[in-house]
Amino acid sequence: MKFNKKYHSIITLSIIAMVMAVFWAGCSSASTREGMALYRAGNYDKAAEYFEKAVKANPQTSEFRTLLFRCQLNSYYYHLALARSLMGAGKKEEAAREYKVALQIFPDNKRVSDELDACLNDGQKKPAVPFQSTITPPVQLNIDPSEKMTLNLRNAPIKQIFAMLGKSHSVNFIFDKDFRDFVYTIESQNAGFYDILNQLCMVAGCDYRVLDASSILIFPDTTFKKRTFGLRGTKVFFLKNIKADEAKKLVLTLFREQQILAQEDANLNTLIIRADNNTLIEIERFLASVDKAKSEVEIDIEILELNRNVLKSIGADYGATLSSVSAGEYTAGSGTTPGSINSLINIDNLSNTSIYLTLPSAALRFLETADNTRIVSKPNLRGVDGEEIKFSVGDDIPIPQTQFQAGAAGGFNNIPVTSYQYRSVGVEIKITPLIHRNHEVTLKIKLKLDFITGYRDNFPTLGKRELESIIRLKEGETNIIGGFIKDEVRKSLSGFPGLSHLPLLGKLFGSTSKGVIQTDLVFSITPRVIREVAIDGDDQGAIWSVTSGNQNLYSPPASGPGGPSGREEARGERPGGNSIIISPPTQRRAVNSELYFTLRANSSVEIASLSISGSISGGRAEIQEMKTDFAGGDNSKILKNVSGEAFDVGYNFESNPIKSSTIGQLKIKFLQKGSYTLSLSTISAYGRDRKPVELTSNSSEIEIFDTPSPGTPETGRREREDREERE
């Protein structure tokens, strides 16, 4: 009684657990049966729901997971084909729903995602994001490279042309002692600062390096000077798809003229490059074009085995006892009754013996049977473009190998030693896909079939069928490969001894049987592209090399809170949008210095007429000159008035409207120490349609200090700067 109380709860829980296990097993079995019925009926979505329940109930059973995956795969293909069909019929809303169902099954399929985006955007692809370099030099000029200017100088010294370019953008050019000056004519209309700078450097055979926000060093383009003044940097490129050693080979081959240094790191899959600024930018764009995920393809394969076991039996069949010879009623022997047949024959009295030959009823038979087709394997293989996919199914059989060895050192090799080497028999498939951009796939196929043909002296004999081929298929197109036929023929003869071997009458006294076992393997191959290489607009263009300077062609400095270089300016912050910009925004010079200020117009619409007025305040200053021949061309009409500390100017650009251009340059001399402000008081602009254009403006803050004592280094530096500006 105590035993029952002690183990009663344990027994009860065990029974409940067994009942629950049987219940869940029955439920999962019922779900599997219903799921298989739905799968055969083509209702893959409902079938997947049943198999999901089976997987949750039996997570360790791989069979349920395989069935669930097959349902999901067939459901994916069904919804994708339906979505494409609806898209072709112009039913975009229904197509979008089907695309979304397909993406819920395989959300990482980029191609289907792109098709959905095209469906939602009326067939228009998303605009490609332009390439933006992450490489910026340590020092950048404080200018806006998008601003345009016109520079026309005839038969002028090249240094003077550099100086004019620098004055228009408040940039100071410093020349190497070996720079050669010469006379040059330049006519440039609506060109950017870097366009003109590169033109001058190319003509003069020189290179440049930015020293600070407003200074550029010009030096001859020689190997020694580049090694002395050139700016070189080191960049670590983290690669995502391509291997570092492959990227290194490509970079060293294509950029060998730039004298770069490259080293790969296989552990981090990085490429380390040391080169100048322009070369680093070109390499970065090149790697962005080649470091892409490879295309992927899914290959559906069905291996069908067609068996025809043919048994043909032609002739007479006499049963188990072919014949019997017996004696009649007068045969000697006891216990015989009249009319009976005795199996004993009296040889002494053969003349009085009746001999009977019993022939069973002969049956001519013709029999032929054939087995049905069966699926040997149905794998779904997924592979990467250009990489081999290998699949094999079969058995490993032992092959004995006998060698003779000596029993002792110096003896004869008379002791047999048998070892076994395993040999694979079955089907082996090797496929290398090559995915094209027109939704076609080239498949390099190698099919191999090894099988046992028979046994000889208890050792297996092996047969082989092998095929190598290259085919090109459209996506979803099926190719069938057959002809792997294997025949086994067996013959047998049964019948009356001697008589069954007669040439013509032998069929009456026996039967011959012929068994033919014929096997044919048929391969069905269907490729489906599931991911393509993402190629955007920048990948279609060329990568151009810049042979001078450190300008970033592919990612110009963006205008930030502090101007194009991203540095904050304490005063005189440049306005954005439609505006008149005064540059430089800040200056600091000595008394009696002559400073140059540039006025630039930036507008989103064309300006046909413009009038502005401004002044300098804060102390004694004089506007000595105002140049206005920068914009609008020769047909533009300009009226200007300069009086002491104020100026007025009017432009008429009817024949050649402007958007972004330099419109004027002021030369101002400061006669007294103090803080000055150059600003515009009125701005009036109109477009070609006679509608007003609103323009804002900034101001320039100038600090003027006392002139240093003569003979000091500061005085010498100021005198050089003033002399260069006058030149």
Side-chain angles (χ1 to χ4, degrees):
M1 192 67 180
K2 293 181 180 180
F3 175 83
N4 291 337
K5 289 182 179 179
K6 182 178 181 180
Y7 293 99
H8 182 270
S9 59
I10 298 177
I11 296 174
T12 303
L13 292 175
S14 300
I15 294 174
I16 294 174
M18 293 175 61
V19 171
M20 292 297 295
V22 173
F23 174 76
W24 283 113
C27 290
S28 62
S29 178
S31 299
T32 304
R33 287 195 299 269
E34 294 179 4
M36 288 300 299
L38 292 170
Y39 179 82
R40 295 189 186 96
N43 194 346
Y44 304 115
D45 295 336
K46 287 291 184 180
E49 296 178 2
Y50 283 97
F51 289 128
E52 285 179 358
K53 296 179 182 178
V55 169
K56 291 180 180 179
N58 302 274
Q60 303 299 328
T61 305
S62 59
E63 180 183 358
F64 294 152
R65 294 197 301 270
T66 303
L67 292 173
L68 176 60
F69 173 76
R70 290 191 176 278
C71 285
Q72 292 175 340
L73 185 63
N74 284 279
S75 177
Y76 164 77
Y77 287 140
Y78 169 76
H79 290 289
L80 181 59
L82 182 57
R84 290 173 177 172
S85 177
L86 292 171
M87 188 67 181
K91 301 179 180 179
K92 297 180 181 179
E93 294 183 359
E94 295 86 343
R97 286 197 297 267
E98 298 299 329
Y99 275 125
K100 291 178 181 178
V101 174
L103 281 175
Q104 288 178 355
I105 301 174
F106 296 112
D108 296 333
N109 195 319
K110 187 179 183 302
R111 182 180 176 187
V112 178
S113 179
D114 293 340
E115 291 183 12
L116 175 59
D117 293 338
C119 176
L120 296 176
N121 298 324
D122 295 332
Q124 298 179 358
K125 295 183 179 180
K126 291 183 178 180
V129 178
F131 171 78
Q132 293 184 350
S133 176
T134 60
I135 300 172
T136 56
V139 180
Q140 299 183 52
L141 291 176
N142 189 15
I143 64 172
D144 187 356
S146 63
E147 296 178 1
K148 306 297 181 182
M149 66 173 296
T150 299
L151 187 61
N152 296 324
L153 294 174
R154 295 182 178 276
N155 299 326
I158 193 74
K159 284 188 176 181
Q160 183 179 351
I161 299 176
F162 273 108
M164 290 298 297
L165 176 64
K167 289 177 181 178
S168 64
H169 290 79
S170 300
V171 175
N172 182 31
F173 284 97
I174 303 172
F175 296 91
D176 181 72
K177 62 183 181 62
D178 296 327
F179 179 80
R180 182 180 61 87
D181 196 6
F182 61 95
V183 177
Y184 182 66
T185 298
I186 182 172
E187 295 181 359
S188 181
Q189 303 289 333
N190 294 328
F193 176 83
Y194 285 110
D195 297 331
I196 300 177
L197 177 60
N198 289 329
Q199 178 184 350
L200 295 177
C201 289
M202 183 170 54
V203 171
C206 61
D207 201 348
Y208 69 89
R209 175 178 173 179
V210 177
L211 300 179
D212 54 39
S214 59
S215 301
I216 295 180
L217 173 65
I218 304 296
F219 57 91
D221 188 9
T222 62
T223 304
F224 174 75
K225 294 294 183 180
K226 281 189 172 182
R227 187 163 50 247
T228 304
F229 300 115
L231 181 65
R232 295 174 66 85
T234 302
K235 170 72 174 177
V236 180
F237 296 95
F238 293 89
L239 306 175
K240 299 178 181 178
N241 302 287
I242 188 173
K243 295 182 179 178
D245 55 347
E246 297 178 358
K248 178 183 176 181
K249 294 178 182 177
L250 294 174
V251 170
L252 290 178
T253 301
L254 295 177
F255 298 91
R256 61 177 180 270
E257 297 180 356
Q258 280 82 344
Q259 299 179 355
I260 65 174
L261 299 176
Q263 181 62 45
E264 78 277 8
D265 186 351
N267 295 327
L268 298 177
N269 196 36
T270 58
L271 184 63
I272 307 169
I273 302 292
R274 178 172 176 79
D276 60 75
N277 179 74
N278 291 330
T279 303
L280 287 176
I281 295 172
E282 295 167 14
I283 293 175
E284 183 182 30
R285 184 180 179 187
F286 170 73
L287 292 177
S289 300
V290 300
D291 187 25
K292 296 182 180 296
K294 289 186 177 182
S295 302
E296 290 189 64
V297 63
E298 187 177 71
I299 303 176
D300 297 336
I301 299 178
E302 286 190 2
I303 305 176
L304 307 176
E305 184 182 69
L306 307 179
N307 292 333
R308 291 200 309 159
N309 297 336
V310 181
L311 176 62
K312 296 182 179 180
S313 180
I314 302 177
D317 188 357
Y318 294 97
T321 57
L322 179 61
S323 61
S324 61
V325 180
S326 303
E329 57 180 341
Y330 296 106
T331 301
S334 61
T336 61
T337 58
S340 63
I341 299 177
N342 194 345
S343 59
L344 299 177
I345 301 175
N346 190 350
I347 299 177
D348 297 335
N349 193 17
L350 288 177
S351 59
N352 296 325
T353 302
S354 299
I355 299 176
Y356 297 87
L357 178 63
T358 303
L359 294 177
S361 58
L364 299 178
R365 301 187 305 170
F366 179 85
L367 177 63
E368 181 174 349
T369 61
D371 293 341
N372 295 327
T373 303
R374 70 184 183 93
I375 298 177
V376 177
S377 181
K378 190 178 180 181
N380 297 103
L381 308 180
R382 178 170 177 171
V384 180
D385 183 21
E387 300 293 336
E388 184 181 75
I389 308 172
K390 184 177 179 181
F391 173 79
S392 60
V393 57
D395 302 315
D396 290 340
I397 61 172
I399 305 296
Q401 293 181 346
T402 303
Q403 296 179 350
F404 290 89
Q405 298 180 358
F412 294 99
N413 295 332
N414 55 358
I415 299 177
V417 176
T418 302
S419 61
Y420 292 90
Q421 181 180 3
Y422 283 85
R423 171 79 177 271
S424 297
V425 294
V427 179
E428 181 178 348
I429 303 174
K430 294 181 180 180
I431 300 177
T432 303
L434 179 61
I435 304 172
H436 306 282
R437 294 288 300 169
N438 58 348
H439 307 308
E440 294 186 358
V441 182
T442 295
L443 300 177
K444 183 179 180 181
I445 304 173
K446 183 176 181 181
L447 304 177
K448 185 177 179 182
L449 173 63
D450 293 320
F451 55 90
I452 300 176
T453 59
Y455 289 87
R456 182 177 299 175
D457 298 331
N458 294 327
F459 294 111
T461 58
L462 303 178
K464 182 173 69 174
R465 303 286 189 272
E466 189 171 346
L467 169 68
E468 291 189 19
S469 176
I470 298 178
I471 59 176
R472 181 162 177 164
L473 302 174
K474 295 181 179 179
E475 182 187 9
E477 183 180 359
T478 301
N479 183 73
I480 297 177
I481 301 175
F484 288 78
I485 301 175
K486 177 183 66 174
D487 290 337
E488 294 183 9
V489 181
R490 299 177 182 178
K491 294 183 178 180
S492 62
L493 174 64
S494 61
F496 194 82
L499 298 179
S500 60
H501 291 278
L502 295 177
L504 296 177
L505 301 178
K507 301 295 183 182
L508 299 175
F509 299 96
S511 64
T512 59
S513 298
K514 180 180 180 181
V516 180
I517 301 177
Q518 186 180 81
T519 303
D520 185 7
L521 287 183
V522 177
F523 297 85
S524 171
I525 301 176
T526 305
R528 304 181 191 275
V529 179
I530 60 177
R531 176 180 292 149
E532 292 182 341
V533 177
I535 298 178
D536 52 27
D538 285 335
D539 297 326
Q540 303 287 352
I543 300 176
W544 302 105
S545 297
V546 182
T547 58
S548 64
N550 54 13
Q551 178 198 3
N552 188 338
L553 288 183
Y554 303 106
S555 181
S559 298
S565 64
R567 293 180 296 272
E568 294 185 0
E569 299 172 353
R571 292 174 293 179
E573 183 178 352
R574 294 182 178 180
N578 298 341
S579 59
I580 302 294
I581 300 175
I582 303 175
S583 62
T586 59
Q587 275 282 27
R588 186 175 184 273
R589 287 296 179 90
V591 174
N592 295 324
S593 296
E594 295 178 351
L595 303 182
Y596 290 86
F597 298 88
T598 303
L599 304 180
R600 301 182 184 87
N602 288 329
S603 175
S604 59
V605 298
E606 292 183 340
I607 299 176
S609 62
L610 172 66
S611 63
I612 58 176
S613 61
S615 62
I616 180 75
S617 61
R620 291 177 56 198
E622 180 183 354
I623 301 176
Q624 296 183 338
E625 183 183 4
M626 182 175 186
K627 292 184 178 181
T628 56
D629 54 348
F630 296 97
D634 298 335
N635 297 326
S636 300
K637 298 178 181 180
I638 302 174
L639 298 175
K640 61 182 177 180
N641 179 30
V642 177
S643 176
E645 301 175 353
F647 66 92
D648 295 283
V649 62
Y651 301 87
N652 188 344
F653 305 126
E654 289 288 348
S655 59
N656 190 12
I658 65 170
K659 282 189 175 182
S660 297
S661 177
T662 300
I663 59 175
Q665 186 180 67
L666 295 171
K667 179 182 178 182
I668 305 176
K669 186 175 182 179
F670 295 88
L671 306 174
Q672 184 181 0
K673 174 186 175 183
S675 298
Y676 294 80
T677 301
L678 175 61
S679 60
L680 302 181
S681 56
T682 60
I683 302 175
S684 178
Y686 294 89
R688 303 187 70 172
D689 54 359
R690 301 297 180 181
K691 294 182 179 180
V693 179
E694 294 185 2
L695 297 176
T696 60
S697 175
N698 68 325
S699 61
S700 180
E701 307 294 334
I702 306 99
E703 182 180 353
I704 302 300
F705 53 87
D706 288 335
T707 306
S709 301
T712 62
E714 181 67 20
T715 303
R717 186 177 68 85
R718 297 300 179 187
E719 291 177 352
R720 287 196 305 272
E721 292 179 353
D722 293 340
R723 184 172 60 254
E724 290 176 357
E725 289 187 358
R726 287 195 299 269
E727 292 176 355

